[in-house]
Amino acid sequence: MTKFFLFFLFFIIPKFTSQDIIINSFDDHKIHGSLIKHKKSKSDLVVIIPGSGLTDRNGNNSSIKSDYLKLLSQELYKYKISSFRYDKRGVAESLGDIKLANEIKFQDFVKDVREIIKYFRQSNHYNSITLIGHSEGSLIGMIASQTSDVDKFVSIAGAGEDYLTVIQRQLSNRAPYIKSMSDPIIEQLRNKKLVDSIPPLLNNLFGSSIQEFLIDAASYNPSAEISKLNIPILIAQGTNDIQIEVKDAQMLHDAANKSRLEIIQGMNHVFRQASENFILNLQTYGNPDLPIDTSLVHIIVEFINKN
C-alpha cells in the first residue's frame, strides 16, 4: 500500500521549469530573474517584488537561506499561475556595476518594476498581471502600480507608515540604549540631513552608504500611496510577524479604495507558522525546508482568480 501511494504522488506533483530572464531597465541596467511559466497557452502572471536590503529573488541573502519567495512561486504554479521573481538592482545577479548602496535611489526600484511589467505586457502571453510586493516591495509595488498596466496588487507584510518611522518602531522593542542611540540619527535623517558619526552597532542600519537611500525612501507614505490605486488590492498580514504589525495592514486597508484585508493567524514575516517568541520566530528565517503558510497561498489564488 505504501509503495502504491508514493507512486501515485509521483505523478500528481506538478512539473515545472524555471527560465532565467534578463530585462533591460530604463537605464540599461540588467535585471535578472526567474520565470516559472505554466504550460497552458495563456495563464495569469504574478511579479514578486522582494523586500529590503540584499534580499534576492528567492527571499535569501548572504547570511540566511529561507527560500520563502521561491516556495511561493512554486506553490502558485500548482494552481496554474505563472510567476516572475527577480533580484533587485544591486543584489545578486542584478548587481551590475553598482559598488555602493547610495548609487541606488528608491525610485530606481520603482522604475525597474515598471520595465518588468512592460516586458511581460508586450509578450501578450498572460491573461492578467498581478504585482505581489513583500515588505519594502509592497511600497515599491503600490507606487509602480499607479502608472503601470497591472490588473491587481497584493501587499504582504507591507508597512503602513514611512520607512524611518517603521525602523524607529522596530528598534523601540530593543534595549533602551539602542533607542537612545538611534532616535537622534532617525530625527536627522527625517529632516533630510546626513549623519557623520554612526555607532558601529548601528552601522548596518544607518551607515553613510545607505543614508541617502533612507531619506529618499522615507519621503513616501505607504498609506497615501495605496490610496492612489483604483485596482483590486489584497492586503495580507501575519499575526506573528516580528517586523511589521497587524496595525500596518489595517492602516493600508483603511486608506485603500478597493482592498481586501486578510489577517493570517500565526504567520510570520517569511510566510511560516511561527512562535510569538522573538528568538524562536527568527529561527524559521534560516530554514528553507519549512513549508510556507498554505492559507496565504489559497488567499492569493482566490484573489487572482476572482473576476
Side-chain angles (χ1 to χ4, degrees), residues 42 79 107 148 163 165 175 178 188 201 241 248 251 274 282 296:
K42 271 204 170 187
Y79 297 91
Q107 266 294 329
S148 298
Y163 218 97
T165 298
I178 298 289
Q188 279 197 244
L201 187 63
D241 190 325
D248 287 285
M251 278 186 247
L282 272 182
L296 175 66

Side-chain angles (χ1 to χ4, degrees), residues 66-110:
S66 189
D67 276 351
Y68 58 96
L69 299 180
K70 179 181 179 180
L71 291 171
L72 178 60
S73 289
Q74 294 174 354
E75 289 297 315
L76 291 175
Y77 180 85
K78 296 177 182 178
Y79 297 91
K80 302 180 181 179
I81 296 173
S82 301
S83 63
F84 178 73
R85 63 189 196 281
Y86 65 97
D87 299 330
K88 295 181 303 181
R89 67 170 56 215
V91 175
E93 291 187 46
S94 297
L95 177 62
D97 296 327
I98 295 171
K99 294 180 175 58
L100 297 172
N102 61 14
E103 296 178 44
I104 302 172
K105 295 188 179 346
F106 186 79
Q107 266 294 329
D108 293 339
F109 290 147
V110 175

Side-chain angles (χ1 to χ4, degrees), residues 43-284:
S43 61
D44 296 304
L45 173 73
V46 299
V47 174
I48 301 174
I49 308 169
S52 60
L54 300 178
T55 305
D56 68 13
R57 72 186 81 177
N58 295 327
N60 305 329
N61 57 46
S62 59
S63 59
I64 296 177
K65 182 176 182 181
S66 189
D67 276 351
Y68 58 96
L69 299 180
K70 179 181 179 180
L71 291 171
L72 178 60
S73 289
Q74 294 174 354
E75 289 297 315
L76 291 175
Y77 180 85
K78 296 177 182 178
Y79 297 91
K80 302 180 181 179
I81 296 173
S82 301
S83 63
F84 178 73
R85 63 189 196 281
Y86 65 97
D87 299 330
K88 295 181 303 181
R89 67 170 56 215
V91 175
E93 291 187 46
S94 297
L95 177 62
D97 296 327
I98 295 171
K99 294 180 175 58
L100 297 172
N102 61 14
E103 296 178 44
I104 302 172
K105 295 188 179 346
F106 186 79
Q107 266 294 329
D108 293 339
F109 290 147
V110 175
K111 292 175 183 178
D112 290 339
V113 174
R114 289 173 181 157
E115 293 300 323
I116 290 169
I117 297 302
K118 189 185 303 182
Y119 175 91
F120 286 108
R121 275 297 181 202
Q122 290 172 346
S123 71
N124 199 33
H125 291 157
Y126 304 97
N127 294 318
S128 70
I129 297 179
T130 297
L131 281 185
I132 297 180
H134 174 244
S135 195
E136 177 188 82
S138 169
L139 178 58
I140 294 168
M142 66 180 71
I143 298 173
S145 296
Q146 294 167 17
T147 54
S148 298
D149 186 12
V150 295
D151 299 281
K152 297 180 179 182
F153 173 63
V154 177
S155 169
I156 308 176
E161 300 177 284
D162 72 84
Y163 218 97
L164 289 172
T165 298
V166 172
I167 292 174
Q168 190 169 38
R169 196 171 72 202
Q170 291 170 344
L171 292 177
S172 68
N173 296 325
R174 305 296 176 263
Y177 68 89
I178 298 289
K179 179 175 171 56
S180 65
M181 286 191 294
S182 61
D183 278 354
I185 297 170
I186 291 172
E187 194 58 34
Q188 279 197 244
L189 295 175
R190 190 174 277 130
N191 291 323
K192 304 187 185 306
K193 296 178 181 177
L194 299 179
V195 184
D196 294 330
S197 179
I198 302 293
L201 187 63
L202 298 178
N203 198 55
N204 284 341
L205 273 178
F206 303 114
S208 59
S209 65
I210 58 173
Q211 288 184 26
E212 290 182 12
F213 176 84
L214 289 173
I215 291 170
D216 186 24
S219 66
Y220 299 94
N221 180 341
S223 294
E225 298 302 332
I226 204 168
S227 71
K228 300 174 185 177
L229 297 183
N230 289 306
I231 56 176
I233 299 167
L234 170 64
I235 299 166
Q237 177 63 45
T239 59
N240 287 2
D241 190 325
I242 55 177
Q243 294 177 244
I244 297 295
E245 301 174 22
V246 169
K247 74 174 185 179
D248 287 285
Q250 189 64 57
M251 278 186 247
L252 294 178
H253 179 58
D254 291 343
N257 295 312
K258 303 176 181 178
S259 65
R260 168 183 169 184
L261 176 62
E262 292 286 350
I263 305 301
I264 302 174
Q265 292 298 317
M267 189 179 81
N268 72 356
H269 199 68
V270 293
F271 311 164
R272 269 69 181 231
Q273 283 290 310
S275 169
E276 293 180 356
N277 178 276
F278 185 84
I279 300 299
L280 294 177
N281 198 307
L282 272 182
Q283 288 175 356
T284 70

